[in-house]
Amino acid sequence: MSLKHIFVFAIAVTAVASAQAGTTQLISNGNFETGSLAGWTSATTNGQQFNAIANGGNVPYSGHAVQANSTGGTFVAVSDQNGPSGQALLQTFTKTANVNSLILEFDWFDNTHAAFNGTEINGSQQVGRVDILTAAAGSWDVTGGVVQNLLLNAGSVTGYGTTIPWQHSSFDLSGLAAGTYQLRFANGQNSYFQEFGVDNVRLTAEVPEPSSIALLGLGLLCAGLVRRKSAKK
C-alpha cells in the first residue's frame, strides 16, 4: 500500500468514527408535537386511553382541566377516565452494547382524586407508575416483566377541579444490559378519576468518543511512514 493510500485510509477511518460518535435519541415523538400518539402504543381496559391534547386544555372523558406545561409545546399526552379502568402508554427502545450512558428525562404529573392503594394498573387499584419493562412484558405486568420501577404513586391526591403543576424527572439507566426494553407510563383507578400527564420524554444514549478508532487510523498512518522510511535505507 502506498503512502498516499495509507493516508486516505486513515482519514476515512477517522471520519467514520466522528460520524458515529455523540448522542442519539431513542424515543420518537416524545413531546407529542405530532398532535397524536405516533410512535407509542396505547393500551386500555375499557376504551378510555391516553390522548394527545392541547397543552393546558381539557381531557376528553372526564372533562377536567389540565394545567399547562410551561416547558411544553402545543401538545401533551394525558390519560383520564370516568370509571374503573387502566391506561398505559408504551414505547420500545434498544440499548446497544456500545452505549456508555443512557439518561431518561420527562415531564409529568399524576393528579388522583382518591388515595393511592396498591401497585396494579388494570383498574383494580388506584395507582400511577412509570417502569422499564422487558420487551416481552404485557401492558399490565407489574411483576416479572418489570426491569426497573421509576415512579410509583408519587402524584398528588386532590379534589375535583384542582389542577397541579408539572414536574421534571431524570433517571440514569446506564446500568441496563444491552437489549430491547419498553418504557411505560401507566395508571389505574378503581374508584375515582385520575389524570396522568406526560411530556418532553427524552432517552439519550451516548456512545464513546471516536478517540480509539481515530488513534487506530493515525497508528496505521505512522506505521506506513515508518515502513516506507525503512525501505529507503
Side-chain angles (χ1 to χ4, degrees), residues 206-228:
E206 181 180 319
V207 298
E209 290 300 317
S211 56
S212 59
I213 303 179
L215 286 173
L216 172 62
L218 183 60
L220 289 172
L221 174 60
C222 292
L225 288 171
V226 170
R227 188 165 56 230
R228 184 178 178 85

Side-chain angles (χ1 to χ4, degrees), residues 50-71:
F50 275 86
N51 286 277
I53 68 168
N55 189 8
N58 290 52
V59 287
Y61 306 123
S62 67
H64 293 166
V66 173
Q67 181 164 311
N69 181 10
S70 61
T71 62

Side-chain angles (χ1 to χ4, degrees), residues 31-213:
N31 56 11
F32 305 98
E33 290 305 288
T34 61
S36 70
L37 302 180
W40 297 86
T41 297
S42 180
T44 175
T45 63
N46 73 343
Q48 297 177 344
Q49 59 187 353
F50 275 86
N51 286 277
I53 68 168
N55 189 8
N58 290 52
V59 287
Y61 306 123
S62 67
H64 293 166
V66 173
Q67 181 164 311
N69 181 10
S70 61
T71 62
T74 304
F75 297 96
V76 299
V78 185
S79 72
D80 78 306
Q81 62 296 132
N82 56 19
S85 60
Q87 294 84 33
L89 189 65
L90 309 98
Q91 188 165 152
T92 299
F93 68 92
T94 298
K95 180 188 180 188
T96 56
N98 67 329
V99 170
N100 59 10
S101 175
L102 187 64
I103 304 298
L104 172 66
E105 299 177 87
F106 55 88
D107 299 337
W108 67 282
F109 71 84
D110 187 5
N111 190 9
T112 180
H113 306 302
F116 296 115
N117 60 31
T119 60
E120 295 287 348
I121 50 175
N122 57 12
S124 63
Q125 296 175 321
Q126 195 83 6
V127 181
R129 58 186 300 155
V130 181
D131 302 282
I132 302 299
L133 307 178
T134 64
S139 300
W140 315 115
D141 192 339
V142 295
T143 54
V146 178
V147 177
Q148 188 173 347
N149 172 249
L150 305 177
L151 290 175
L152 178 62
N153 298 341
S156 300
V157 181
T158 70
Y160 295 130
T162 304
T163 60
I164 63 174
W166 289 77
Q167 303 182 56
H168 179 78
S169 290
S170 178
F171 299 90
D172 189 342
L173 304 181
S174 303
L176 287 177
T180 300
Y181 301 91
Q182 299 177 81
L183 170 63
R184 178 181 67 189
F185 300 91
N187 64 308
Q189 47 288 317
N190 64 349
S191 51
Y192 295 103
F193 301 107
Q194 182 178 185
E195 296 91 44
F196 195 117
V198 185
D199 196 18
N200 294 331
V201 185
R202 293 174 59 84
L203 184 58
T204 306
E206 181 180 319
V207 298
E209 290 300 317
S211 56
S212 59
I213 303 179

